[in-house]
Amino acid sequence: MSLALAPLDLSVETEANLPCRKFDPDLWFSDSPTELELAKSLCGDCPLRVECLAGAVERAEPWGVWGGEIFERGAVVPRKRPRGRPRKEDLARDAELQVEAEARLAASGLAASRSAVRLAA
């Protein structure tokens, strides 16, 4: 059975408890790094976060926030970079955030290997 089509926990009131249903949906698909970080934080307490992330990984979602992770061009990225050339300190921070993103995926059982989900550098 596909993770994306796994049965939902029927004890969860899907419409009432999902942040993506309470707030503006455009927040999860914003071009602004700040707004995407806000969407990620709202996903933290979502009862369907793991299922949402699993489905997004399986579908290789092209972009947006899914299950508390940012997807860009079908890959999980630790944060969305603003336009332009990144500063050296931003590159170092991105490397640290990349390790954290890999750890979160591994902890949720979604990335047993790097081939399971493509992580963008």
Side-chain angles (χ1 to χ4, degrees):
M1 174 168 44
S2 162
L3 287 176
L5 301 177
L8 295 176
D9 181 0
L10 297 178
S11 67
V12 175
E13 293 180 34
T14 55
E15 293 298 318
N17 294 328
L18 302 181
C20 57
R21 301 293 171 105
K22 287 189 213 177
F23 298 93
D24 182 6
D26 290 339
L27 184 64
W28 276 259
F29 299 97
S30 176
D31 286 329
S32 164
T34 304
E35 289 183 359
L36 291 177
E37 290 300 321
L38 174 59
K40 279 176 58 173
S41 70
L42 292 171
C43 290
D45 294 330
C46 181
L48 297 178
R49 187 183 68 75
V50 173
E51 293 88 351
C52 178
L53 179 58
V57 166
E58 185 173 307
R59 293 185 306 271
E61 281 293 338
W63 65 298
V65 174
W66 297 90
E69 298 292 340
I70 298 174
F71 283 74
E72 191 170 299
R73 295 186 203 109
V76 174
V77 296
R79 72 179 183 92
K80 181 168 175 82
R81 292 183 183 157
R83 296 182 128 191
R85 184 176 177 182
R87 295 179 174 175
K88 289 181 183 178
E89 60 267 13
D90 288 343
L91 292 174
R93 185 177 61 182
D94 285 350
E96 292 174 11
L97 291 173
Q98 186 68 32
V99 171
E100 287 180 27
E102 289 175 6
R104 284 194 304 270
L105 286 171
S108 63
L110 296 174
S113 69
R114 283 189 68 83
S115 63
V117 63
R118 190 170 58 101
L119 293 166

